[in-house]
Amino acid sequence: MSDKKTALVISAHAADFVWRAGGAIALHQSLGYEVTVACLSYGERGESAKLWKQEGMTLERVKKARKEEAQNAANALGVTDIRFLDLGDYPLRLDRDAQDQMVDIIREVQPIWMMSHSKWDPYNTDHMNTTRFALECRMIAQAWGHNPGEKVLGAPQMYLFEPHQTEQMEWKPNVFLDITSVWDKKRAAIECMQGQEHLWNFYTNVAENRGNHFRRNSGGMAGGRKAEYAEGFEMIFPQTVDELA
C-alpha cells in the first residue's frame, strides 16, 4: 500500500493558484507531498489585459504566455505536476466532458486534501463555478457506480482559498497556515505572473495580514507563535478528531 501523500489544487485560471495558495503548495511540497495543480483555463480572455494591450496580440499568443508564466510559477513552488485543461474562460466551459476529465484526475491523484475557490464570487463567476464543479467532481469520484472497477476517492477535506475581495464573497477563514518558511518561493512564483504585476504587492499585503491573524489565533495577547506570512482557508467538511485542541 502506498504511503505517498498527495494533494490537488483546482484553479479556475492559470494564476489563481499562485496568489491564493502558493504558500500552501510550496510548504506541502517541502513536507514530502506531491501537489497536483489543475488549471481549468489560462485566463486568456478575462485575466490577461496587459497582454491584450500589446499591438497584434492573438488568442494563441496569450495562451502561450500565460502557460509559460504558470509553468514557471509551478517550478518556483516545487510543483512537478501541473495540468492545463484549456476549457476557456469568461465563461469557463464546465460541461460533462470536463467533468469526466476532472474526475479521472481526482481518482488518479487520490488527494489527502483538495483546494479551490470561494463558494460565492459575483465579480468573477468562473471562480465560484469552479468550486461547484470541484465539489461535484469530488462527489462523483466517490461513487462506486462511476466507472466501476476504478479506485474510488475517500473523503478529502476541501479548503477554499481566499478570494480577491474577501468581504464581498461570504468567505470566512477557519484555518490559518504559516507560510513564512516558504515565503521566498511564493514571492518568486508571484513575480512569474508578469501579466498581472499589479497584484504582486496586493497579495504580499494579504499574506502579511494573515500572518497577524495567525499570531493572534495561535496565542493572542498571551504570546502567539511568530508568523510573518500566512494564508487563510475555509474548510467545507467537518474534521474528525480524537481529542479537542
Side-chain angles (χ1 to χ4, degrees):
M1 184 176 180
S2 173
D3 59 357
K4 181 173 69 173
K5 296 185 291 185
T6 57
L8 176 62
V9 177
I10 302 175
S11 180
H13 312 106
D16 291 328
F17 75 93
V18 179
W19 319 121
R20 311 175 199 287
I25 293 168
L27 179 64
H28 285 83
Q29 283 288 147
S30 72
L31 293 173
Y33 281 70
E34 293 182 16
V35 182
T36 296
V37 176
C39 296
L40 301 189
S41 81
Y42 298 110
E44 64 270 18
R45 298 205 307 173
E47 300 200 346
S48 303
K50 183 177 177 180
L51 292 169
W52 281 112
K53 291 174 184 177
Q54 298 176 21
E55 187 174 352
M57 186 55 65
T58 66
L59 185 64
E60 289 310 311
R61 284 177 59 196
V62 172
K63 284 185 178 183
K64 183 175 183 291
R66 295 290 284 179
K67 183 176 182 179
E68 288 176 355
E69 290 179 354
Q71 184 63 67
N72 290 338
N75 294 342
L77 298 173
V79 171
T80 59
D81 185 16
I82 182 168
R83 319 279 181 100
F84 298 97
L85 278 67
D86 194 13
L87 300 176
D89 70 319
Y90 282 61
L92 279 165
R93 298 188 303 272
L94 302 176
D95 57 17
R96 183 58 184 267
D97 288 341
Q99 195 176 70
D100 288 343
Q101 189 176 357
M102 180 53 64
V103 172
D104 287 345
I105 291 172
I106 293 172
R107 283 190 168 179
E108 174 195 343
V109 172
Q110 291 290 320
I112 294 173
W113 52 261
M114 298 172 61
M115 192 172 283
S116 198
H117 296 261
S118 58
K119 288 181 285 187
W120 172 245
D121 188 340
Y123 294 93
N124 191 323
T125 58
D126 281 359
H127 292 162
M128 66 183 190
N129 291 341
T130 292
T131 293
R132 180 186 176 110
F133 173 76
L135 287 168
E136 286 183 343
C137 291
R138 179 187 182 275
M139 175 190 72
I140 296 166
Q142 293 175 316
W144 286 80
H146 177 80
N147 293 340
E150 292 183 352
K151 183 179 180 180
V152 299
L153 181 68
Q157 182 60 259
M158 174 69 85
Y159 293 98
L160 308 184
F161 42 61
E162 185 159 6
H164 186 64
Q165 300 186 65
T166 307
E167 295 83 359
Q168 308 301 319
M169 309 305 192
E170 302 177 9
W171 176 87
K172 185 177 181 180
N174 47 30
V175 176
F176 293 109
L177 179 69
D178 182 0
I179 62 168
T180 306
S181 65
V182 294
W183 172 251
D184 58 334
K185 294 181 179 180
K186 177 168 182 175
R187 180 66 195 200
I190 284 174
E191 293 183 10
C192 291
M193 311 314 296
Q194 294 290 323
Q196 292 175 284
E197 187 175 349
H198 63 289
L199 294 177
W200 293 6
N201 288 335
F202 178 89
Y203 280 103
T204 297
N205 291 337
V206 169
E208 291 170 340
N209 290 336
R210 294 309 179 192
N212 177 62
H213 295 158
F214 183 100
R215 294 191 297 273
R216 292 300 301 268
N217 285 279
S218 64
M221 299 305 291
R225 201 182 90 193
K226 184 178 180 181
E228 292 183 56
Y229 302 96
E231 288 174 342
F233 302 96
E234 180 179 358
M235 291 190 302
I236 289 287
F237 301 103
Q239 289 183 307
T240 54
V241 301
D242 296 308
E243 180 180 355
L244 296 178

